[in-house]
CSV table of all heavy atoms in Angstrom, one decimal:
chain,number,residue,atom,x,y,z
Q,1,MET,N,0.8,-1.2,0.0
Q,1,MET,CA,0.0,0.0,0.0
Q,1,MET,C,0.9,1.3,0.0
Q,1,MET,O,0.6,2.2,-0.8
Q,1,MET,CB,-0.9,0.0,1.2
Q,1,MET,CG,-1.9,1.1,1.3
Q,1,MET,SD,-3.1,1.0,0.0
Q,1,MET,CE,-4.1,2.4,0.3
Q,2,GLN,N,1.9,1.3,0.8
Q,2,GLN,CA,2.8,2.5,0.9
Q,2,GLN,C,3.5,2.7,-0.4
Q,2,GLN,O,3.6,3.8,-0.8
Q,2,GLN,CB,3.8,2.3,2.1
Q,2,GLN,CG,4.7,3.5,2.3
Q,2,GLN,CD,3.9,4.8,2.7
Q,2,GLN,OE1,2.9,4.7,3.3
Q,2,GLN,NE2,4.5,5.9,2.4
Q,3,GLN,N,4.0,1.6,-1.0
Q,3,GLN,CA,4.7,1.7,-2.3
Q,3,GLN,C,3.8,2.3,-3.3
Q,3,GLN,O,4.2,3.1,-4.2
Q,3,GLN,CB,5.2,0.4,-2.7
Q,3,GLN,CG,6.4,-0.1,-2.0
Q,3,GLN,CD,6.9,-1.4,-2.5
Q,3,GLN,OE1,6.1,-2.3,-2.9
Q,3,GLN,NE2,8.2,-1.7,-2.4
Q,4,ASN,N,2.5,1.9,-3.3
Q,4,ASN,CA,1.5,2.4,-4.3
Q,4,ASN,C,1.3,3.9,-4.1
Q,4,ASN,O,1.3,4.7,-5.1
Q,4,ASN,CB,0.2,1.7,-4.2
Q,4,ASN,CG,-0.7,1.9,-5.3
Q,4,ASN,OD1,-0.2,2.1,-6.5
Q,4,ASN,ND2,-2.0,1.9,-5.1
Q,5,ILE,N,1.2,4.4,-2.9
Q,5,ILE,CA,1.1,5.8,-2.6
Q,5,ILE,C,2.3,6.6,-3.1
Q,5,ILE,O,2.1,7.6,-3.8
Q,5,ILE,CB,0.8,6.0,-1.1
Q,5,ILE,CG1,-0.5,5.4,-0.7
Q,5,ILE,CG2,0.9,7.5,-0.8
Q,5,ILE,CD1,-0.8,5.4,0.8
Q,6,GLU,N,3.5,6.1,-2.8
Q,6,GLU,CA,4.7,6.7,-3.2
Q,6,GLU,C,4.8,6.7,-4.8
Q,6,GLU,O,5.2,7.7,-5.3
Q,6,GLU,CB,5.9,6.0,-2.6
Q,6,GLU,CG,6.0,6.3,-1.1
Q,6,GLU,CD,7.1,5.5,-0.4
Q,6,GLU,OE1,7.8,4.8,-1.1
Q,6,GLU,OE2,7.2,5.5,0.8
Q,7,PHE,N,4.4,5.7,-5.4
Q,7,PHE,CA,4.5,5.6,-6.8
Q,7,PHE,C,3.5,6.6,-7.5
Q,7,PHE,O,3.9,7.3,-8.4
Q,7,PHE,CB,4.1,4.2,-7.3
Q,7,PHE,CG,4.1,4.0,-8.8
Q,7,PHE,CD1,5.2,3.9,-9.5
Q,7,PHE,CD2,2.8,4.0,-9.5
Q,7,PHE,CE1,5.2,3.8,-10.9
Q,7,PHE,CE2,2.8,3.8,-10.9
Q,7,PHE,CZ,4.0,3.7,-11.6
Q,8,GLU,N,2.3,6.7,-6.9
Q,8,GLU,CA,1.3,7.7,-7.4
Q,8,GLU,C,1.8,9.1,-7.2
Q,8,GLU,O,1.7,10.0,-8.1
Q,8,GLU,CB,0.0,7.5,-6.7
Q,8,GLU,CG,-0.7,6.3,-7.2
Q,8,GLU,CD,-2.1,6.1,-6.6
Q,8,GLU,OE1,-2.7,7.1,-6.1
Q,8,GLU,OE2,-2.6,5.0,-6.7
Q,9,ARG,N,2.5,9.4,-6.1
Q,9,ARG,CA,3.1,10.7,-5.9
Q,9,ARG,C,4.2,11.0,-6.9
Q,9,ARG,O,4.3,12.1,-7.4
Q,9,ARG,CB,3.7,10.8,-4.5
Q,9,ARG,CG,2.6,10.9,-3.4
Q,9,ARG,CD,3.2,11.0,-2.0
Q,9,ARG,NE,4.0,12.3,-1.9
Q,9,ARG,CZ,5.0,12.4,-1.1
Q,9,ARG,NH1,5.4,11.5,-0.3
Q,9,ARG,NH2,5.6,13.6,-1.1
Q,10,CYS,N,5.0,10.0,-7.2
Q,10,CYS,CA,6.0,10.2,-8.2
Q,10,CYS,C,5.4,10.5,-9.6
Q,10,CYS,O,5.9,11.4,-10.3
Q,10,CYS,CB,6.9,8.9,-8.2
Q,10,CYS,SG,8.2,9.0,-9.5
Q,11,ILE,N,4.4,9.7,-9.9
Q,11,ILE,CA,3.7,9.9,-11.2
Q,11,ILE,C,3.1,11.3,-11.3
Q,11,ILE,O,3.2,12.0,-12.3
Q,11,ILE,CB,2.7,8.8,-11.5
Q,11,ILE,CG1,3.4,7.5,-11.6
Q,11,ILE,CG2,1.9,9.1,-12.7
Q,11,ILE,CD1,4.4,7.3,-12.7
Q,12,ASP,N,2.5,11.7,-10.2
Q,12,ASP,CA,1.9,13.1,-10.2
Q,12,ASP,C,2.9,14.1,-10.4
Q,12,ASP,O,2.7,15.1,-11.1
Q,12,ASP,CB,1.2,13.3,-8.9
Q,12,ASP,CG,-0.1,12.5,-8.7
Q,12,ASP,OD1,-0.7,12.0,-9.8
Q,12,ASP,OD2,-0.6,12.4,-7.6
Q,13,PHE,N,4.1,14.0,-9.8
Q,13,PHE,CA,5.2,14.9,-9.9
Q,13,PHE,C,5.7,15.0,-11.3
Q,13,PHE,O,5.8,16.0,-11.9
Q,13,PHE,CB,6.3,14.6,-9.0
Q,13,PHE,CG,7.6,15.4,-9.2
Q,13,PHE,CD1,7.7,16.7,-8.7
Q,13,PHE,CD2,8.6,14.8,-9.9
Q,13,PHE,CE1,8.8,17.4,-8.9
Q,13,PHE,CE2,9.8,15.6,-10.1
Q,13,PHE,CZ,9.9,16.9,-9.7
Q,14,LEU,N,5.9,13.8,-11.9
Q,14,LEU,CA,6.3,13.7,-13.3
Q,14,LEU,C,5.3,14.4,-14.3
Q,14,LEU,O,5.8,15.1,-15.2
Q,14,LEU,CB,6.6,12.3,-13.7
Q,14,LEU,CG,7.8,11.6,-13.0
Q,14,LEU,CD1,7.8,10.1,-13.4
Q,14,LEU,CD2,9.1,12.3,-13.4
Q,15,VAL,N,4.1,14.2,-14.1
Q,15,VAL,CA,3.1,14.8,-14.9
Q,15,VAL,C,3.1,16.3,-14.8
Q,15,VAL,O,3.0,17.0,-15.8
Q,15,VAL,CB,1.6,14.2,-14.6
Q,15,VAL,CG1,0.5,15.1,-15.2
Q,15,VAL,CG2,1.5,12.8,-15.0
Q,16,ARG,N,3.3,16.8,-13.6
Q,16,ARG,CA,3.3,18.3,-13.4
Q,16,ARG,C,4.6,18.8,-14.1
Q,16,ARG,O,4.5,19.9,-14.7
Q,16,ARG,CB,3.4,18.6,-11.9
Q,16,ARG,CG,2.0,18.4,-11.2
Q,16,ARG,CD,2.0,19.1,-9.8
Q,16,ARG,NE,3.1,18.8,-9.0
Q,16,ARG,CZ,3.2,17.8,-8.1
Q,16,ARG,NH1,2.2,16.9,-8.0
Q,16,ARG,NH2,4.2,17.6,-7.4
Q,17,MET,N,5.7,18.1,-14.0
Q,17,MET,CA,6.9,18.6,-14.6
Q,17,MET,C,6.8,18.6,-16.2
Q,17,MET,O,7.2,19.5,-16.8
Q,17,MET,CB,8.1,17.8,-14.2
Q,17,MET,CG,8.5,18.0,-12.7
Q,17,MET,SD,8.9,19.7,-12.3
Q,17,MET,CE,7.4,20.2,-11.5
Q,18,ILE,N,6.2,17.6,-16.7
Q,18,ILE,CA,6.0,17.5,-18.1
Q,18,ILE,C,5.0,18.6,-18.6
Q,18,ILE,O,5.3,19.2,-19.6
Q,18,ILE,CB,5.4,16.1,-18.5
Q,18,ILE,CG1,6.5,15.0,-18.3
Q,18,ILE,CG2,4.9,16.1,-20.0
Q,18,ILE,CD1,6.1,13.6,-18.5
Q,19,ASP,N,3.9,18.8,-17.8
Q,19,ASP,CA,3.0,19.9,-18.2
Q,19,ASP,C,3.7,21.2,-18.1
Q,19,ASP,O,3.5,22.1,-19.0
Q,19,ASP,CB,1.8,19.9,-17.2
Q,19,ASP,CG,0.8,18.8,-17.5
Q,19,ASP,OD1,0.9,18.2,-18.6
Q,19,ASP,OD2,0.0,18.6,-16.6
Q,20,LYS,N,4.6,21.4,-17.2
Q,20,LYS,CA,5.2,22.7,-17.0
Q,20,LYS,C,6.4,23.0,-17.9
Q,20,LYS,O,6.5,24.1,-18.5
Q,20,LYS,CB,5.8,22.8,-15.5
Q,20,LYS,CG,6.3,24.2,-15.1
Q,20,LYS,CD,6.6,24.2,-13.7
Q,20,LYS,CE,7.1,25.6,-13.3
Q,20,LYS,NZ,7.4,25.7,-11.8
Q,21,TYR,N,7.2,22.0,-18.2
Q,21,TYR,CA,8.4,22.2,-19.0
Q,21,TYR,C,8.5,21.4,-20.3
Q,21,TYR,O,9.4,21.6,-21.1
Q,21,TYR,CB,9.6,21.7,-18.1
Q,21,TYR,CG,9.8,22.5,-16.9
Q,21,TYR,CD1,9.6,21.9,-15.6
Q,21,TYR,CD2,10.2,23.8,-16.9
Q,21,TYR,CE1,9.8,22.7,-14.5
Q,21,TYR,CE2,10.4,24.6,-15.8
Q,21,TYR,CZ,10.2,24.0,-14.5
Q,21,TYR,OH,10.3,24.7,-13.4
Q,22,GLY,N,7.5,20.6,-20.6
Q,22,GLY,CA,7.5,19.7,-21.7
Q,22,GLY,C,7.7,20.5,-23.0
Q,22,GLY,O,8.5,20.1,-23.9
Q,23,ALA,N,6.9,21.5,-23.3
Q,23,ALA,CA,7.0,22.3,-24.5
Q,23,ALA,C,8.3,22.9,-24.6
Q,23,ALA,O,8.9,23.0,-25.8
Q,23,ALA,CB,5.9,23.3,-24.5
Q,24,GLU,N,8.9,23.4,-23.6
Q,24,GLU,CA,10.2,24.1,-23.6
Q,24,GLU,C,11.3,23.1,-24.0
Q,24,GLU,O,12.2,23.4,-24.8
Q,24,GLU,CB,10.5,24.7,-22.3
Q,24,GLU,CG,11.8,25.4,-22.2
Q,24,GLU,CD,12.1,26.1,-20.8
Q,24,GLU,OE1,11.2,26.2,-20.0
Q,24,GLU,OE2,13.3,26.4,-20.6
Q,25,VAL,N,11.2,21.9,-23.4
Q,25,VAL,CA,12.2,20.9,-23.7
Q,25,VAL,C,12.2,20.4,-25.1
Q,25,VAL,O,13.2,20.3,-25.8
Q,25,VAL,CB,12.1,19.7,-22.7
Q,25,VAL,CG1,12.9,18.5,-23.1
Q,25,VAL,CG2,12.4,20.1,-21.3
Q,26,LEU,N,10.9,20.2,-25.6
Q,26,LEU,CA,10.8,19.8,-27.0
Q,26,LEU,C,11.3,20.9,-28.0
Q,26,LEU,O,12.0,20.6,-29.0
Q,26,LEU,CB,9.3,19.6,-27.3
Q,26,LEU,CG,8.7,18.3,-26.7
Q,26,LEU,CD1,7.2,18.2,-27.0
Q,26,LEU,CD2,9.4,17.1,-27.3
Q,27,ARG,N,11.1,22.2,-27.6
Q,27,ARG,CA,11.6,23.3,-28.5
Q,27,ARG,C,13.1,23.3,-28.5
Q,27,ARG,O,13.7,23.4,-29.5
Q,27,ARG,CB,11.0,24.6,-27.9
Q,27,ARG,CG,11.3,25.8,-28.8
Q,27,ARG,CD,10.5,27.0,-28.3
Q,27,ARG,NE,10.4,27.2,-26.9
Q,27,ARG,CZ,9.3,27.0,-26.2
Q,27,ARG,NH1,8.2,26.6,-26.8
Q,27,ARG,NH2,9.3,27.2,-24.9
Q,28,GLU,N,13.7,23.1,-27.3
Q,28,GLU,CA,15.2,23.1,-27.2
Q,28,GLU,C,15.8,21.9,-28.0
Q,28,GLU,O,16.8,22.0,-28.7
Q,28,GLU,CB,15.6,23.0,-25.8
Q,28,GLU,CG,15.4,24.3,-25.0
Q,28,GLU,CD,15.8,24.2,-23.6
Q,28,GLU,OE1,16.4,23.2,-23.1
Q,28,GLU,OE2,15.5,25.2,-22.8
Q,29,LEU,N,15.1,20.7,-27.9
Q,29,LEU,CA,15.6,19.6,-28.7
Q,29,LEU,C,15.5,19.8,-30.2
Q,29,LEU,O,16.4,19.4,-30.9
Q,29,LEU,CB,14.8,18.3,-28.3
Q,29,LEU,CG,15.0,17.8,-26.9
Q,29,LEU,CD1,14.1,16.7,-26.5
Q,29,LEU,CD2,16.5,17.3,-26.7
Q,30,GLU,N,14.4,20.4,-30.6
Q,30,GLU,CA,14.3,20.7,-32.0
Q,30,GLU,C,15.3,21.7,-32.5
Q,30,GLU,O,15.9,21.5,-33.6
Q,30,GLU,CB,12.8,21.3,-32.3
Q,30,GLU,CG,12.5,21.5,-33.7
Q,30,GLU,CD,12.6,20.2,-34.6
Q,30,GLU,OE1,12.3,19.1,-34.0
Q,30,GLU,OE2,12.9,20.3,-35.7
Q,31,GLU,N,15.6,22.7,-31.7
Q,31,GLU,CA,16.7,23.7,-32.0
Q,31,GLU,C,18.0,23.0,-32.2
Q,31,GLU,O,18.8,23.3,-33.1
Q,31,GLU,CB,16.7,24.8,-31.0
Q,31,GLU,CG,15.6,25.8,-31.0
Q,31,GLU,CD,15.6,26.8,-29.9
Q,31,GLU,OE1,16.6,26.8,-29.1
Q,31,GLU,OE2,14.7,27.6,-29.8
Q,32,GLU,N,18.3,22.1,-31.2
Q,32,GLU,CA,19.6,21.4,-31.3
Q,32,GLU,C,19.7,20.5,-32.5
Q,32,GLU,O,20.7,20.4,-33.2
Q,32,GLU,CB,19.8,20.5,-30.0
Q,32,GLU,CG,20.1,21.2,-28.8
Q,32,GLU,CD,20.2,20.3,-27.6
Q,32,GLU,OE1,20.3,19.1,-27.7
Q,32,GLU,OE2,20.2,20.9,-26.4
Q,33,LYS,N,18.6,19.8,-32.9
Q,33,LYS,CA,18.5,19.0,-34.1
Q,33,LYS,C,18.8,19.9,-35.3
Q,33,LYS,O,19.5,19.5,-36.2
Q,33,LYS,CB,17.2,18.3,-34.1
Q,33,LYS,CG,17.0,17.4,-35.3
Q,33,LYS,CD,15.6,16.8,-35.3
Q,33,LYS,CE,15.4,16.0,-36.6
Q,33,LYS,NZ,14.0,15.5,-36.7
Q,34,GLN,N,18.1,21.0,-35.4
Q,34,GLN,CA,18.3,21.9,-36.5
Q,34,GLN,C,19.7,22.4,-36.6
Q,34,GLN,O,20.3,22.5,-37.7
Q,34,GLN,CB,17.3,23.0,-36.5
Q,34,GLN,CG,15.9,22.6,-36.8
Q,34,GLN,CD,14.9,23.8,-36.6
Q,34,GLN,OE1,15.3,24.9,-36.2
Q,34,GLN,NE2,13.7,23.5,-37.0
Q,35,ASN,N,20.3,22.7,-35.5
Q,35,ASN,CA,21.7,23.2,-35.5
Q,35,ASN,C,22.7,22.1,-36.0
Q,35,ASN,O,23.6,22.4,-36.7
Q,35,ASN,CB,22.1,23.7,-34.1
Q,35,ASN,CG,21.5,25.0,-33.7
Q,35,ASN,OD1,21.0,25.7,-34.5
Q,35,ASN,ND2,21.4,25.2,-32.4
Q,36,LYS,N,22.4,20.9,-35.6
Q,36,LYS,CA,23.3,19.8,-36.0
Q,36,LYS,C,23.1,19.6,-37.5
Q,36,LYS,O,24.1,19.3,-38.2
Q,36,LYS,CB,23.0,18.5,-35.2
Q,36,LYS,CG,23.5,18.5,-33.8
Q,36,LYS,CD,23.1,17.2,-33.1
Q,36,LYS,CE,23.6,17.3,-31.7
Q,36,LYS,NZ,23.2,16.0,-31.0
Q,37,GLU,N,21.9,19.7,-38.0
Q,37,GLU,CA,21.7,19.5,-39.4
Q,37,GLU,C,22.3,20.6,-40.2
Q,37,GLU,O,22.9,20.3,-41.3
Q,37,GLU,CB,20.1,19.4,-39.7
Q,37,GLU,CG,19.5,18.2,-39.2
Q,37,GLU,CD,18.0,18.2,-39.4
Q,37,GLU,OE1,17.4,19.3,-39.8
Q,37,GLU,OE2,17.3,17.2,-39.1
Q,38,GLU,N,22.3,21.8,-39.7
Q,38,GLU,CA,22.9,22.9,-40.5
Q,38,GLU,C,24.4,22.8,-40.5
Q,38,GLU,O,25.0,23.0,-41.5
Q,38,GLU,CB,22.5,24.3,-39.8
Q,38,GLU,CG,21.0,24.6,-40.0
Q,38,GLU,CD,20.6,25.8,-39.2
Q,38,GLU,OE1,21.5,26.4,-38.4
Q,38,GLU,OE2,19.5,26.2,-39.3
Q,39,LYS,N,25.0,22.3,-39.4
Q,39,LYS,CA,26.4,22.1,-39.3
Q,39,LYS,C,26.8,21.0,-40.3
Q,39,LYS,O,27.8,21.1,-40.9
Q,39,LYS,CB,26.9,21.8,-37.9
Q,39,LYS,CG,26.9,23.1,-37.0
Q,39,LYS,CD,27.3,22.7,-35.6
Q,39,LYS,CE,27.2,24.0,-34.7
Q,39,LYS,NZ,27.6,23.7,-33.3
Q,40,GLY,N,26.0,19.9,-40.3
Q,40,GLY,CA,26.3,18.8,-41.2
Q,40,GLY,C,26.2,19.2,-42.6
Q,40,GLY,O,27.0,18.8,-43.5
Q,41,ALA,N,25.2,20.0,-43.0
Q,41,ALA,CA,25.1,20.5,-44.4
Q,41,ALA,C,26.2,21.4,-44.8
Q,41,ALA,O,26.6,21.4,-46.0
Q,41,ALA,CB,23.7,21.2,-44.5
Q,42,ALA,N,26.8,22.2,-43.9
Q,42,ALA,CA,27.8,23.1,-44.2
Q,42,ALA,C,29.1,22.4,-44.5
Q,42,ALA,O,30.0,22.9,-45.2
Q,42,ALA,CB,28.0,24.1,-43.0
Q,43,VAL,N,29.3,21.2,-44.0
Q,43,VAL,CA,30.5,20.4,-44.2
Q,43,VAL,C,30.6,20.0,-45.6
Q,43,VAL,O,31.7,19.9,-46.2
Q,43,VAL,CB,30.6,19.2,-43.2
Q,43,VAL,CG1,31.7,18.3,-43.6
Q,43,VAL,CG2,30.7,19.7,-41.8
Q,44,PHE,N,29.5,19.6,-46.2
Q,44,PHE,CA,29.5,19.1,-47.6
Q,44,PHE,C,29.5,20.3,-48.5
Q,44,PHE,O,29.7,20.8,-49.3
Q,44,PHE,CB,28.3,18.3,-47.9
Q,44,PHE,CG,28.2,17.0,-47.1
Q,44,PHE,CD1,27.3,16.9,-46.0
Q,44,PHE,CD2,29.2,16.0,-47.3
Q,44,PHE,CE1,27.3,15.7,-45.3
Q,44,PHE,CE2,29.1,14.8,-46.5
Q,44,PHE,CZ,28.2,14.7,-45.5
């Protein structure tokens, strides 16, 4: 029972963090991907 409560608290925390920061993290990942692609294209 205690493990289940702790697990649910952990999941609730993760959901709040994803809601709060998810869009920002995705935007940063996309920017990094584009930067790598641009650097790769410049080499050729």
Side-chain angles (χ1 to χ4, degrees):
M1 184 66 181
Q2 182 64 26
Q3 286 181 326
N4 193 30
I5 292 170
E6 291 173 4
F7 179 76
E8 287 184 19
R9 287 181 62 209
C10 179
I11 296 301
D12 289 342
F13 172 79
L14 292 173
V15 168
R16 287 194 312 272
M17 293 299 103
I18 290 169
D19 285 344
K20 187 172 183 177
Y21 298 110
E24 181 180 345
V25 170
L26 289 174
R27 187 170 40 255
E28 289 177 7
L29 290 173
E30 186 62 31
E31 288 175 5
E32 287 179 13
K33 181 181 174 185
Q34 288 177 354
N35 289 338
K36 287 180 182 178
E37 290 174 354
E38 290 171 359
K39 287 179 183 178
V43 172
F44 295 110

